[in-house]
Every structure is written in C-alpha cells, then in structure tokens.
Amino acid sequence: MYEFIHTGLPYRIVFGPGQLSSMADELTQLGVKRPLLIVSETDSGLLTAARNFLGDVPYTEWTSVAQHVPIPVAEAAVAEAVSQAADGIVTIGGGSTTGMGKAIARRLGLPILAVPTTYAGSEMTPIWGETSDGRKVTGRDARAQPRTVIYDVNLTLTLPAALSAASGMNAFAHCAEATFAPGQSPMNTSFAVEAMKNLTRGLPIVMSEPDNLDARGEVLLGACLSGVVLASAGISIHHHICHVLGGMYNLPHAELHSVVLAYALQHIERASPGTLSYVGEALNVDAADAPAAVRNLTRELGLPQSLSEIGMKESDITDAVTPLVESTANDLTPLSPAAARDLLNHAVHGQDDWFER
Ligand code: NAD
C-alpha cells in the first residue's frame, strides 16, 4: 500500500546545450538587476563564459571560493554583496561555488541563479553547508534553494574525466540512498532509478570520450535528478559515514562518496536484505548483487577503490569508530562498534572480500 508525503520545491530548470546564453533573460525573469557573480578564480574559462553572456547587466565579481564554504570567506562575500547593493546571485561552477552562493542567499534572502558545472547536485537543494575551525555545519533553508538553474552541457566538457567519474558517483550515491532514505516516496524512487540509469549509461562513455555531448548530457540529467531526490528524500547511513570521515580527515568529497558507497550498501544489504531492490533494478542485478555492481562500476571508471588511496590511514580507524556509531544510530541499519570497525578495516584497505555473499 502506498503511503507517503512528498513536498515539491519551487525551482525553474533550463536544460540544454548552449543555454548559458539565456542567463541575462533568466535574471530578468527573476527580477534581478545587479547580481553578484560567483565563480572560482581557478575556473577562468567559466568566468569568461559568464562575462560574455551577462552582457550589459551591471554585476560584481566574487572569485574567492573554497571547498566546504569557510565561514570567514562567506562573510566577506556577504559584505561585498551588501556594499555593492546586489539584488541577486549568479553562481557558475561546482558544488563549492554553489555553496558560496547559498551562504550569501540564506543570510541576505537574495535569489540565486545557479549554473552547475559538475555533477554534485547541490543546485537543486535547499541544503547548505559551511565550515569553521575544521567543523562542518549543515542545514536546510528555503532561501538557499536556487530559484533558477541553467544546465548547459557545453560547460561540462572541460571537467577532467577522473573528476567527472567521481562527481558522477557522488550523484549516484544521492540516488541510491534516496530509494531507502527517510523521505523515500514513489516519485523520488522513480527519479532516482532513472538517474542511476542515466549515470550508469553515461559515465563509462564520458571516461573514454570526454567530448561526447550526448553522454555528458545523460550524466548531467542524472546529476540534476540526483539533486532533486537528495533534497526531497534526504540522506541515510552512507551520507552519515561520509560526513564523519570527510570532516575528521578532510577527504575529497566526491571521491569519498565514490569509495564508501559500495561498502555502505553491502552493510545495508546484509542487515536488511532486499532494501537495495531499486538500486539493483537500476543496475539490472538482484538487490543482493547491487553493492558488488556499484563496486565494479567504480572500478570500470578507474576510481580509487580504498580510503587509503584518498588520504585515510589505518591508524585513523580507531578514532572514527565511535563517531560512526553515533552518526548512524537513527538510520535504518545502524552500525554497531564491531560493524563500524569491520567496515572501516575493509574500506581503508579496499578489500574485495567485503562483497562476497
Ligand atoms: P568543487 O565545486 O569543489 O569542484 C571540484 C573542482 O572542479 C574544482 O577545482 C573546480 O574548480 C573544478 N571544476 C568545476 N567545474 C569545472 C568544469 N566545468 N571544468 C573544469 N573544472 C571544473 O566540487 P564538487 O564535487 O562539485 O562539490 C563539492 C562540494 O559541494 C562539497 O562542499 C559538498 O559538501 C557540496 N555539496 C553540497 C550539496 C548540497 O545539497 N548542499 C550536494 C552535493 C555536494
């Protein structure tokens, strides 16, 4: 029997190759006349593209962007927005750039036009995250939800293949988890399964043909849907594990999700057989084989297979056990101290025997 609550979010999506050219018109539709343009100083190609299409719009540039939105940087950007009397925000870049826009939007109540250029999915969510003294705080705020999102596949062509694969698996993780997270609903599951199929079809082609626009478009659509379901269904044990490890050991966001996902899924499947039926459906395997199929996909994409490859050491394991137990306590399949240690031991070393049935 179906029984669910589904809350739709207010956003407009403009999707297609070359759609960055609609940026000035979309700003007009939003009623924004003096935007603050946020682009990372490292993404000079994106900055040039944004300048071209903003044309006569009077805007101010902000190029100081860092992973996980350091609060002092966010507060400096807020001061700039106030001093320039900005009435809206344009972000063009990955999840870090979108995150900077959200930090300003939630403090000043300004609308965001987001142009994502990775597959993080943040642009479709009201979820914000900021860091101070090495501690990441996250929350939900309707003011952080971008009002208009332009997906221009042409902008993703410069995303290096390895980064594309890791970012795409980050999107896959949002989708996999949405099929059993607290806000799971038939709508979210439909989007999530389709998005996992988009990502599974597109990512291997992007690896071998990074200029293949159709494959890039397939992955970008998967990323868009992954953000939708992340916002609506919420997160579960996989994300809780990643938040703990990412925060404690400053591990790269997308790669961390990519390594942990298969290990977390195998724990879930053992503790609650059948939970992964939709992940299995997307990958065309039984639920019990879904974790190994995810593992094989990450291997096919040439992604790291162990946490040690991305910076976590064996000597870090003991300290992480209690935080993992605490952070997963309310999940469908919580980690006991023994299970947390076991999972970490296998994931740090990248051991394949974890996936034996
Ligand atoms: P990122 O934004 O840090 O970008 C990774 C790298 O890719 C950067 O060096 C960037 O300059 C480069 N880059 C971006 N687009 C490019 C392009 N088209 N061509 C070439 N290089 C490009 O990483 P990310 O994985 O996109 O985002 C990670 C951040 O997003 C984390 O802080 C994470 O917590 C956050 N996030 C938030 C949500 C949310 O809903 N709030 C969801 C997912 C991720």
Side-chain angles (χ1 to χ4, degrees), residues 40 42-43 46 65-69 93-99 102 116-129 136 155-160 163 167 170 174 230 243 253-254:
S40 168
T42 56
D43 295 332
L46 298 177
V65 170
Q67 263 224 36
H68 306 306
V69 191
S96 301
T97 306
T98 314
K102 289 179 169 189
T117 62
T118 67
Y119 308 126
S122 173
E123 66 283 352
M124 296 308 299
T125 85
I127 303 165
W128 56 268
K136 184 159 183 173
L155 302 176
T156 64
L157 292 174
T158 50
L159 193 63
L163 201 50
S167 188
N170 184 201
H174 299 329
L230 168 66
H243 286 169
H253 179 83

Side-chain angles (χ1 to χ4, degrees), residues 265-266 269 273-281 285-292:
L265 292 180
Q266 181 72 350
E269 183 53 31
T275 298
L276 303 183
S277 59
Y278 291 114
V279 182
E281 181 186 326
V285 297
D286 291 340
D289 294 324

Side-chain angles (χ1 to χ4, degrees), residues 100-164:
M100 180 60 75
K102 289 179 169 189
I104 304 169
R106 77 183 192 89
R107 287 174 175 79
L108 301 180
L110 300 181
I112 304 176
L113 185 157
V115 186
T117 62
T118 67
Y119 308 126
S122 173
E123 66 283 352
M124 296 308 299
T125 85
I127 303 165
W128 56 268
E130 296 172 17
T131 45
S132 172
D133 299 327
R135 214 178 131 253
K136 184 159 183 173
V137 183
T138 61
R140 286 177 79 97
D141 187 331
R143 290 172 302 179
Q145 171 93 41
R147 298 261 297 278
T148 302
V149 183
I150 298 178
Y151 287 95
D152 184 339
V153 68
N154 295 344
L155 302 176
T156 64
L157 292 174
T158 50
L159 193 63
L163 201 50
S164 301

Side-chain angles (χ1 to χ4, degrees), residues 190-232:
S190 303
F191 274 4
V193 169
E194 278 315 302
M196 285 187 277
K197 289 181 183 173
N198 292 134
L199 293 163
T200 310
R201 274 195 301 263
L203 283 172
I205 302 174
V206 166
M207 293 307 288
S208 55
E209 302 169 43
D211 292 338
N212 187 316
L213 263 194
D214 289 333
R216 286 278 186 187
E218 185 109 55
V219 176
L220 195 58
L221 177 59
C224 166
L225 295 175
S226 85
V228 172
V229 299
L230 168 66
S232 179

